[in-house]
Every structure is written in structure tokens, then in C-alpha cells.
Amino acid sequence: MPELPEVETIKRGLEKKVIGKKITGATVNLPKVINRPVAEFARLLKNTIIKKVARRAKILMLTLSNGHTLGIHLKISGRLLYLKKNSPVEKHTHVIFDLNNGHQIRFWDLRRFGYVKLMRSEEAVKELKLDEFGPEPLTKEFTLDIFKNLLNQRKNSRIKPLLMDQGFVAGIGNIYADEILFYARVHPLRPAGELSARETKDIFNGTKKILTTAVQKKGTTVDLYVDLSGRAGNYVNYLKAYGCEDKPCVRCGARIQRIKIGSRSAHFCPRCQKQ
């Protein structure tokens, strides 16, 4: 699933490519992924200018000149691609936005869990439930003191599921939770209330460092994610825990282990990250 670095990479690509461009038409091949009747959806989009691109948690938002906003969530397997209009249209391409520069924005989703919602801009917070997300971890406003306060409110929660809780901190998923906890040498099952001051600080610093680096490397491709141009993310070459089961720990040489926490996996070093 695309997480904060992957969605931020796509957002930055869109900012360079589509701001100021006009949407001249829209094609919907799978009506279930949009939130309006197809004809209305296409009519409201036609001849609008893309004024702004933003991200909140894992959701992309395109502000349009007619007072509407497009909210796009890639969920588990979605892609957003910027391609020339004459490029072959791949199977599982569900929505296509024609632009006035001969290019298209294409929403592709193998598993069909993602969505493209069109709403009035003043209703976007409610429609996309943006106020239910926790703080953005890469902002200046997300400080160590704020992180400590958040942990104090969830003392009994296991730290890995907590990091992945979008109401706790926005944008972190399975990949980066594993990497952050490996960086901090914290076992994924540790209760938040049992973390030392050093461990808390290391998790905070690891969050900032790893997410920032992952954005610089254009995200992580371990499955279906690609950037706006269809290129894989390079942070996969820097993973030290996620997907590294049975590989030697880069710090101590012990074999990375994988356990189940609910329906999700966690990867960790049993020697560096003791419970």
C-alpha cells in the first residue's frame, strides 16, 4: 500500500506537471470508484483548471477552479499516472482525466479498493474525514513533546499497530513502521507506556529521518507502487527490516524475524529489538 512517502512523491510530481492545466474531459471505466453518477462527474470536471495539489495522510487532493476538489486515495494497489494521451491504456485503468496539453492523468487500481471523489471544496474535510487523522509527521508542528503526549494517551497500545493508526500519526503504514522501530531498536509488541525516554526520542527521530529519506528516494516499491511517470521507488534498496525475513541484521548479524500482529506482519531483529 502506498504510504506517506509514496503519496508525497506523487503529489510533488503532480505539482510540477498539472497545476494550471485544464481538464478537458473525463472517462470513467469503473463507476464504483467514483462518488457521483458518471455523467455528472464528467460534466463537473469539464473545462476546470487544476489550481492546487495537496496531501493529507495518504489522500491526494486536487483543488479545481470551479470550487470543487478531487480526493484520490490509492488504498492497497492504486496508481496515479501522468502519460501522453496516445499511450496504451492498461487494464485496470478506471478513470482517465484528459488535459489540454495532450497528456492524461490515469487512475489505475488492480484490487479496486481505491477511490476518486469529487466534492465541493468546503465539504472536503467532512467527505474525506480529514479531521480524523493524526498529525503530519514531517511538519515542524510535529514535535517530540507532542509525540510524547500522544504516547501518554495510548499507554497500553502496542507500538507498531499504534504507529500505523492513522488517528495517531498520519501516513505511516506497514513498511515504515517496521523501519522506524528497527532504527529505534524497539520491539514491535512493546506497549507505548513502557518505552524509555531514549526509545521515545529514537522513534520520533527515526520517523522524521526515515520518512524524509524515503521521500527523497521517491518511495518504496515492494509490490505495485510506481511514481507518476511509472518508475519504481528507490527506498527499497535501503530497507533493513521490512521484507527482510531470514536475512542477517545489518547491525548484529542475527536473522530478521517476522511475526503476525493481528492481520499484519512485523519484521524485526530479535537481538537488537528485544521485547
Side-chain angles (χ1 to χ4, degrees):
M1 174 190 289
E3 302 179 28
L4 186 155
E6 291 74 50
V7 182
E8 180 66 19
T9 297
I10 294 170
K11 176 224 156 188
R12 294 183 184 188
L14 287 169
E15 286 179 322
K16 294 177 182 178
K17 299 289 188 181
V18 306
I19 288 180
K21 301 300 187 294
K22 180 186 290 187
I23 299 176
T24 59
T27 302
V28 179
N29 298 320
L30 185 67
K32 68 169 282 188
V33 304
I34 66 173
N35 64 330
R36 294 175 179 266
V38 172
E40 180 185 7
F41 183 83
R43 176 179 60 80
L44 287 171
L45 286 170
K46 189 174 179 63
N47 294 325
T48 59
I49 305 295
I50 300 172
K51 305 292 287 185
K52 179 182 177 182
V53 182
R55 177 193 58 78
R56 180 71 171 107
K58 303 174 187 178
I59 299 175
L60 289 163
M61 292 166 287
L62 279 64
T63 302
L64 307 177
S65 58
N66 66 347
H68 285 71
T69 292
L70 273 170
I72 302 172
H73 201 318
L74 302 178
K75 293 288 185 175
I76 295 174
S77 61
R79 293 174 174 175
L80 207 64
L81 300 166
Y82 176 80
L83 300 168
K84 290 183 178 180
K85 191 173 182 178
N86 59 4
S87 300
V89 178
E90 294 185 4
K91 186 179 179 181
H92 309 301
T93 300
H94 304 315
V95 185
I96 300 173
F97 304 95
D98 292 308
L99 304 177
N100 65 334
N101 64 349
H103 284 69
Q104 296 175 331
I105 301 171
R106 299 180 185 177
F107 175 76
W108 179 99
D109 189 3
L110 176 65
R111 299 187 65 182
R112 304 183 179 187
F113 290 122
Y115 63 69
V116 179
K117 292 184 177 182
L118 180 63
M119 68 219 82
R120 294 203 60 81
S121 295
E122 63 266 24
E123 298 171 355
V125 171
K126 180 180 178 181
E127 287 288 324
L128 299 174
K129 301 180 180 180
L130 301 183
D131 55 358
E132 296 183 10
F133 294 119
E136 289 285 337
L138 292 184
T139 60
K140 293 180 180 178
E141 292 74 22
F142 183 63
T143 63
L144 179 57
D145 285 340
I146 286 176
F147 185 57
K148 289 177 180 177
N149 289 334
L150 291 171
L151 288 173
N152 284 335
Q153 296 170 28
R154 304 284 294 274
K155 291 182 178 181
N156 294 325
S157 298
R158 292 171 170 175
I159 188 61
K160 177 167 182 185
L162 186 57
L163 288 176
M164 295 171 60
D165 183 341
Q166 299 304 292
F168 178 72
V169 176
I172 300 173
N174 212 21
I175 296 172
Y176 298 105
D178 277 351
E179 294 301 302
I180 290 164
L181 293 177
F182 179 85
Y183 173 94
R185 299 174 183 253
V186 173
H187 193 284
L189 294 178
R190 287 279 299 284
E194 294 183 6
L195 297 173
S196 69
R198 181 194 62 78
E199 289 170 331
T200 298
K201 185 176 182 180
D202 286 347
I203 293 173
F204 174 80
N205 289 337
T207 298
K208 294 276 191 179
K209 178 178 180 179
I210 288 166
L211 294 180
T212 297
T213 304
V215 172
Q216 293 170 349
K217 300 300 180 182
K218 312 295 186 185
T220 301
T221 297
V222 293
D223 191 6
L224 294 171
Y225 163 74
V226 293
D227 71 6
L228 200 62
S229 300
R231 295 174 297 215
N234 293 322
Y235 195 75
V236 66
N237 299 313
Y238 298 83
L239 296 177
K240 296 178 175 64
Y242 181 84
C244 297
E245 182 181 6
D246 291 332
K247 293 182 180 179
C249 171
V250 296
R251 284 191 297 239
C252 72
R255 297 289 176 178
I256 297 295
Q257 293 184 3
R258 180 174 66 91
I259 59 173
K260 282 281 191 178
I261 305 177
S263 61
R264 309 300 294 272
S265 295
H267 302 80
F268 66 99
C269 172
R271 186 179 297 163
C272 295
Q273 297 169 259
K274 292 182 180 179
Q275 189 169 359

